[in-house]
Amino acid sequence: MYGDYGYMEEGKLGKPYDFRLLKRLSCYALPYKKTFATALLLTILITLFDLAVPYVTKIAIDRYILASWYRIRTENLTDSKVKDTLNRYNHLLKKTREGDSYFISNLNMKKLDPADLHILKSRRIVSTDRFYRTDAVHYKSEIPLKKEISPYVLADGSLLVPHSQMTGISKSDLLKLRAGDIRGVTLVAVIFFVLILLSFALSYFEFYLLEFTGQHIMQDIRMTLFQKMQSHAVRFFNHNPVGRLVTRITNDIENLNEMFKSVFVTVFKDIFILTGILIILLVMNWRLALVCFTLIPVIFGLTFLFSTIAREAFRQLRATVSKINSFLQERISGMRIIQLFVREACQMEMFTEINHENFLAGMKQIRVFAIFMPLMELMSSLGIGLVIWYGGGKVIQNQLTLGALVAFIGYIQMFFKPIRDISEKYNIMQSAMASTERIFEFMDLKDEIPEPEIPSIAGEVKGHLEFRNVSFSYEENNPVLHDISFEVKPGETIAIVGSTGSGKTTLVNLIERFYDPDSGSVYLDGIDIRRWPKKKLRNSIGLCMQDVFIYAGSITDNISLGMEVIDEKQVEKAAYQANALQFIQRLPDGFRHEIGEGGSTISAGERQLLSFARALVKNPRILILDEATSSIDPETERLIREAVIRITAKRTTIIIAHRLSTIRHADRILVMHHGRIIEQGNHKQLMNIRGVYYKLNKTGTGKD
Ligand code: DGT
Ligand code: MG
């Protein structure tokens, strides 16, 4: 009912990753490999910058904001086990100038083995008091410390001030004391800003380069497709509806572009980010990392489940969309018929139905997304919860720094973003893969009329035509032409008549090689037309088709068909010979008059005359006129008849006539019936034998 626009096929989805297709596609990217490589390099850099951000935060917190040191008591150390342990960690400890105590920073503390830390803590070797380290040595005397406890001085001259001493100090003193940390935090902030700025700037170039490459590749593929389309045989276009072919060159290519831009590169980026995060987490704290990783199987399970359901929903949605497209296409082109037969209400009903189908399919897809998205949000929160629960505990036990915990949370949030995006990209990827597959299928189609391998080097075309035992069928086992043989000498005019569907148009289609015969051959000047270069063959034939196609453009454009070698004089001459001058001059702008698409602003008879002019403008040796079946007024008919007589002179001409009056003067008339030539001869001879031609004349098809 909706016309065979293959909408089920359009609804088909490709595998999300088909490496065979991707490989083939990459051939088109090859000329742009440098730009593409630069873009990828930028992507890697941007990802690195993005990955660095939480780590920089960690540094700010651990090194500067919450920097603290713990004292290791060394007085009266008798336990050899403790001594051994301390010796092992000697490189992490800082000695005081007097050499009586050691200090360890919070950053180094978590490097201790938890078992060792436990020993040291349980024996009270590690103080519970926290100290700030400051290199503001000259403040030693100035700092108003609450109690009379002098700060420890490390070997490098920096002071260690107990945390408890700092609570009472004024803000300005605190700032002086912690000037080093403030500097550190400022530095981190600057780095942070630079990273973000760099990421921003590089993103611009990355985007630009990707778009540049993408657009170029699409342009190339579009050109290849159009070239391919033009080379297809007429038969191809009978099997492929316009809508589908247009989709190939527009939508499918757009899908490809979408995939290239938003998937190809981001998938690469995502993989990079995900592995980057996994590695950083493992290095920062493998225990906490492993705890977080317990969520990964669940996430992947959910994503897989989701994509399976989404795939089906998405397929249905696409199918309904193309159903709407083909419905609209058909109805819009047939609007006159619909209005004429007052079928609007019925069409409305049909449209309501498919529109509703589309709505349902859309809703189904949305439902799937509506579950998946919050579910992923939930997983992300769960991940953060796990980090806070497990990591928080570790912070309390001094096995993890607070900065690391904050960075962990940052990374977990970063980790979920690409996963959430995957679902969306999965859809794009699927439709793009389907598009890619269709594009390549189209490119691989072998439905061309082949050029001769060894073209004949015939000179000037004389116009001798011969059909020798030609049989032809559009579809297998349904022959349209049976064993046709006839000859047309140069300059002769022959006419073909016969009932509708008898194969007249088909017969002349073989001369231009719109189709090749199944058996037998057509000869031009004694050479099989399959051995003529196609261009030369077609240039020597002028064809007026039964249904004249008018392009949107001026009259001149429609006659010259944009051929630059043809000047206005030739166009005017052709129009004169075709008897079209009269009506053209009546038009508002004459030859410059713009005709709308489909030629709806000129009449059927005028269109016929225009097509005569179009055929004549090349001054062809052979002229084929396939007369329009639509009836025209006697005046136009007279113009056409006159034109035919004038233009057929000195050319080999084949006229297919419905109005027998046009062909009285023909040298020979072939009468066709069910794909065979049943009578042959001139008007007089055929009238004398009183056969089919005689009957056709008598039944009034010949008007006078
Ligand atoms: P007309 O123009 O109505 O006087 O009829 P003819 O004599 O020009 O008929 P023609 O050659 O167009 O068609 C002959 C038969 O071939 C007829 O049964 C319809 C069929 N036919 C024509 N064109 C095609 C085509 O493109 N594909 C297929 N499958 N069949 C076709
Ligand atoms: Mg026909």
Side-chain angles (χ1 to χ4, degrees), residues 238 474-475 480 499-506 515 546 658:
N238 296 343
Y474 288 104
E475 272 142 33
V480 175
S499 52
T500 181
S502 56
K504 305 178 295 290
T505 303
T506 309
Y515 303 91
Q546 199 166 11
H658 291 272

Side-chain angles (χ1 to χ4, degrees), residues 353-365:
E353 194 184 309
I354 54 174
N355 206 14
H356 188 63
E357 268 177 48
N358 174 260
F359 166 79
L360 290 181
M363 283 315 288
K364 187 170 173 184
Q365 195 193 20

Side-chain angles (χ1 to χ4, degrees), residues 276-288:
I277 291 178
L278 291 185
I279 293 170
I280 294 175
L281 291 189
L282 279 173
V283 171
M284 264 191 345
N285 189 309
W286 62 269
R287 287 189 188 84
L288 181 53

Side-chain angles (χ1 to χ4, degrees), residues 520-533:
S521 297
V522 183
Y523 296 89
L524 172 62
D525 292 351
I527 299 165
D528 191 327
I529 54 169
R530 278 172 289 206
R531 285 192 48 221
W532 282 84

Side-chain angles (χ1 to χ4, degrees), residues 108-153:
N108 282 339
M109 183 99 114
K110 69 163 183 59
K111 289 187 190 157
L112 304 185
D113 190 295
D116 293 337
L117 187 65
H118 181 73
I119 293 175
L120 296 179
K121 274 190 170 170
S122 63
R123 309 207 176 162
R124 297 178 189 283
I125 304 285
V126 180
S127 71
T128 44
D129 285 345
R130 285 189 289 149
F131 292 79
Y132 279 115
R133 182 183 177 184
T134 169
D135 48 9
V137 186
H138 51 287
Y139 281 102
K140 187 180 174 187
S141 50
E142 296 167 28
I143 297 165
L145 299 173
K146 268 200 300 195
K147 292 177 199 162
E148 281 309 307
I149 298 173
S150 57
Y152 293 92
V153 184

Side-chain angles (χ1 to χ4, degrees), residues 68 81 172 184 238 294 325 342 385 421 509 558 604 644 655 671 693:
S68 51
K81 203 170 162 193
S172 63
N238 296 343
T294 52
N325 281 349
V342 203
D421 290 354
N509 277 345
N558 263 291
V644 167
I655 308 176
V671 183
Y693 182 75

